Amino acid sequence: MDTTKNKNWTLESSPAKLEEILPGGVVKCHLSPRNCVIQEGKVGFCKVRGNRGGRLVTLNYGKGVHSTEETIETEAVFHFAPGERILSLGNIGCMLNCGYCHNWKTSQAKYVTDKDVYYYTPEQVVETALKHGIRVISWTYNDPVVWHEFILDTAKLAKEAGLINLYKSAFFISEEAIDELLPVIDIFSISLKSISPEYYRKVTTGWVEPVLAGIKKVYDAGKYVEVSTLMVTDISDDEETARKISQWVLDELGPNVPLHFVRFHPDYKMSNSIRTPVDRLLKARDVARSMGVEHVYLGNVNDVEGTNTSCNNCNALLVTRYGLNAEIIGLDSKGCCSQCGHDAHFKLLGEHQANAPVELREDALAAYEKRKFEWHGDIVSLHAQVLNTEDFEQTVYLRRNYTDGHNSDWKSLTLRPHESYRFIIAKARIDETGPEVWLPNGVNSNLHEVFDRAHFPTESIEEIGISQNDITPTIGYEGKQNMYEQVIKLVSQA
Ligand code: SF4
């Protein structure tokens, strides 16, 4: 990865796929259902694909936010290798503009600042995953659809290296583009925002039909699929929405496809609201389960029923989860209940030794700098970004503190000379007060508060301080805040 900052990311372009050349030097893009018709020198809706010299180009090939080690649960994937470490990559731009987007600073290209853009080659991405013992690459955050060419090139290399590719998307994408993804993507985690056409038009600026068709297409192609729905307070957190989504999953996919009801936080153009009341999420889960959806989970909640997996036959506990952490406790190697043998519909990758606990005495770290962070309110995960400025390998250590004064085992992270690496630390137990990161001389660090699952914070606490408001990001959107009222009105008229 090139960590050069402050290049103008819009200047360089690369040839784009799914191009149609029209008369008069005009091009049409067939990547998303918008099919933008683009004049010379202009860009499409997503602002990362444009017309240069009468040809369709991509402006964001190899350009994205910092790659980040997370867990597969971050991507609303609960039945594929629970607890697996993944390398998440997000880019710039989006084919949608959802009113509540918590990644609007990177999904909406006009807000992207050059300091947040990193430059990658496909080889560098694969090398980073392999070097850190990571088996899954996740294409995520803003939305992978608009990074099509870079994903195809990198996912192919990753697959050849034995890695798995996960695609976490709102999936407003054309059929032709899906056909190109199918050979290289293994897991699709799709955010189905609603089943309502009016909701899609108003809140996301897209339309629901191609999203539904796309999910069905990848499922019918035999890909691993999970579906999640953001339950927006007073707009889409009602039983009727849960019932319609569940019915669609049952009719078009199957009862084994995991379904997630995800808690909303106020953000972007819909900051004048409140988080989804947890009892409505629990009710949605009850509705889906009573209709026959076998695996229903809640997202962005801790400490409540609805994140663990129990056997649907004998009720034995199979997987426990806390926040973005998971532990397999009752599955056999085939993903069945180890107590009664019932198929729990898990795909497992087998034991993985990377990032195992290390033996260490605190006095061995006398020359290290200790950085300590305390969980507060809804801030229960953190991105730590560390940069080794030396010409030799260096090791960073991490542990967690508990309310009774005890600490977890140590974990370590080895950085190559001049390597920049970003990783998530998510609260893993109810009595955990926060993490400690220990840094040797010559390793710089930045900590970023993460507001919810798959949120990519662009500002660090060194830049903006520790959040005083636990729910809404400190630096907020400065445009109008009238969308929430408009959507409430629309929903009440439906
Ligand atoms: S990806 Fe979609 S929004 Fe972007 S230019 Fe192509 S058709 Fe338009």
Side-chain angles (χ1 to χ4, degrees):
M1 174 178 49
D2 175 359
T3 56
T4 308
K5 295 283 192 172
N6 300 323
K7 283 200 258 183
N8 182 340
W9 71 267
T10 61
L11 292 183
E12 291 164 15
S13 61
S14 310
K17 287 172 165 284
L18 301 163
E19 165 199 58
E20 183 184 350
I21 298 176
L22 300 176
V26 177
V27 291
K28 187 173 188 180
C29 175
H30 287 265
L31 176 53
S32 85
R34 287 189 196 282
N35 290 146
C36 295
V37 174
I38 311 172
Q39 307 286 330
E40 167 63 33
K42 303 289 186 199
V43 289
F45 177 94
C46 59
K47 299 196 171 46
V48 290
R49 293 169 87 77
N51 180 339
R52 299 286 182 269
R55 299 303 301 264
L56 183 66
V57 296
T58 163
L59 302 178
N60 67 357
Y61 186 93
K63 303 168 193 174
V65 295
H66 203 297
S67 61
T68 308
E69 179 187 319
E70 300 182 304
T71 56
I72 202 164
E73 286 69 25
T74 314
E75 308 297 52
V77 173
F78 275 22
H79 277 240
F80 194 109
E84 186 72 16
R85 294 160 54 234
I86 61 174
L87 187 66
S88 291
L89 283 117
N91 66 96
I92 301 163
C94 188
M95 62 295 163
L96 297 173
N97 185 359
C98 301
Y100 44 64
C101 181
H102 66 182
N103 287 322
W104 58 272
K105 286 198 169 176
T106 54
S107 70
Q108 302 309 307
K110 65 178 175 182
Y111 299 115
V112 173
T113 56
D114 292 322
K115 81 169 179 57
D116 294 323
V117 180
Y118 292 80
Y119 295 76
Y120 302 88
T121 64
E123 291 77 10
Q124 286 168 336
V125 172
V126 173
E127 187 194 353
T128 298
L130 292 174
K131 194 267 164 184
H132 288 278
I134 292 174
R135 299 188 286 187
V136 178
I137 293 181
S138 180
W139 305 100
T140 180
Y141 299 135
N142 57 314
D143 204 286
V145 167
V146 291
W147 221 14
H148 192 63
E149 292 77 10
F150 185 70
I151 290 174
L152 290 179
D153 290 349
T154 312
K156 181 169 177 289
L157 268 189
K159 211 166 173 59
E160 287 165 6
L163 302 175
I164 285 165
N165 287 291
L166 190 167
Y167 199 88
K168 169 88 166 81
S169 175
F171 226 44
F172 187 62
I173 185 170
S174 68
E175 275 202 54
E176 305 99 287
I178 295 175
D179 285 335
E180 295 187 334
L181 291 174
L182 286 175
V184 291
I185 302 295
D186 305 284
I187 303 169
F188 288 88
S189 175
I190 308 297
S191 171
L192 174 60
K193 319 270 180 198
S194 166
I195 217 94
S196 154
E198 296 79 22
Y199 175 103
Y200 256 83
R201 291 269 178 188
K202 182 71 191 170
V203 179
T204 75
T205 72
W207 40 104
V208 69
E209 295 81 2
V211 179
L212 297 175
I215 302 173
K216 185 153 172 51
K217 184 174 171 84
V218 295
Y219 181 77
D220 289 346
K223 296 296 174 179
Y224 181 86
V225 175
E226 298 201 17
V227 174
S228 53
T229 296
L230 187 71
M231 307 294 276
V232 182
T233 312
D234 292 335
I235 292 176
S236 58
D237 60 350
D238 56 312
E239 289 180 39
E240 188 60 12
T241 298
R243 192 168 293 111
K244 285 182 175 168
I245 297 261
S246 302
Q247 196 60 57
W248 186 85
V249 168
L250 290 167
D251 290 346
E252 304 296 337
L253 308 179
N256 308 335
V257 172
L259 177 60
H260 304 251
F261 292 118
V262 181
R263 197 176 188 202
F264 153 88
H265 79 243
D267 211 321
Y268 191 32
K269 298 177 183 171
M270 294 170 74
S271 296
N272 52 344
S273 179
I274 58 166
R275 299 211 82 172
T276 323
V278 172
D279 60 334
R280 297 189 195 170
L281 297 167
L282 288 166
K283 188 69 203 168
R285 180 170 178 262
D286 287 347
V287 166
R289 286 172 65 85
S290 70
M291 291 173 69
V293 184
E294 291 192 27
H295 309 295
V296 190
Y297 299 102
L298 304 190
N300 294 338
V301 296
N302 291 335
D303 309 324
V304 297
E305 170 68 10
T307 54
N308 294 335
T309 306
S310 297
C311 176
N312 283 339
N313 183 48
C314 73
N315 210 31
L317 201 52
L318 307 181
V319 178
T320 57
R321 300 184 186 83
Y322 191 93
L324 303 174
N325 305 277
E327 193 178 353
I328 299 171
I329 57 168
L331 292 175
D332 66 19
S333 60
K334 292 183 186 147
C336 299
C337 172
S338 51
Q339 187 166 290
C340 74
H342 184 73
D343 187 356
H345 312 113
F346 278 88
K347 296 226 181 301
L348 303 179
L349 291 180
E351 202 55 35
H352 201 221
Q353 292 306 317
N355 217 353
V358 290
E359 292 285 333
L360 191 69
R361 285 164 49 105
E362 195 169 321
D363 54 12
L365 300 176
Y368 277 57
E369 177 200 358
K370 173 170 129 179
R371 295 208 61 185
K372 190 174 160 78
F373 183 85
E374 290 186 357
W375 305 130
H376 58 103
D378 282 344
I379 309 300
V380 288
S381 55
L382 194 68
H383 280 179
Q385 189 168 317
V386 287
L387 171 66
N388 180 9
T389 63
E390 300 290 356
D391 294 331
F392 46 86
E393 278 195 352
Q394 298 238 63
T395 302
V396 171
Y397 293 96
L398 162 77
R399 70 179 178 183
R400 296 156 187 276
N401 307 142
Y402 301 123
T403 47
D404 64 2
H406 286 88
N407 303 303
S408 69
D409 289 335
W410 290 100
K411 294 273 177 76
S412 67
L413 166 70
T414 301
L415 297 170
R416 289 169 286 178
H418 301 283
E419 181 176 13
S420 178
Y421 197 70
R422 182 158 168 150
F423 58 99
I424 199 166
I425 309 164
K427 184 176 178 181
R429 334 194 313 202
I430 195 167
D431 62 342
E432 183 183 310
T433 55
E436 291 173 5
V437 182
W438 292 67
L439 306 151
N441 282 332
V443 173
N444 302 336
S445 69
N446 293 104
L447 304 180
H448 304 74
E449 291 182 324
V450 175
F451 285 91
D452 264 333
R453 187 156 78 185
H455 170 223
F456 186 92
T458 52
E459 289 89 11
S460 65
I461 64 174
E462 292 77 13
E463 294 166 296
I464 59 172
I466 291 177
S467 162
Q468 298 301 309
N469 179 338
D470 289 338
I471 295 172
T472 302
T474 312
I475 294 184
Y477 173 71
E478 289 175 356
K480 284 186 186 159
Q481 288 292 337
N482 56 2
M483 183 176 243
Y484 198 78
E485 286 74 18
Q486 289 173 14
V487 182
I488 291 267
K489 205 166 152 196
L490 184 132
V491 169
S492 63
Q493 287 167 352

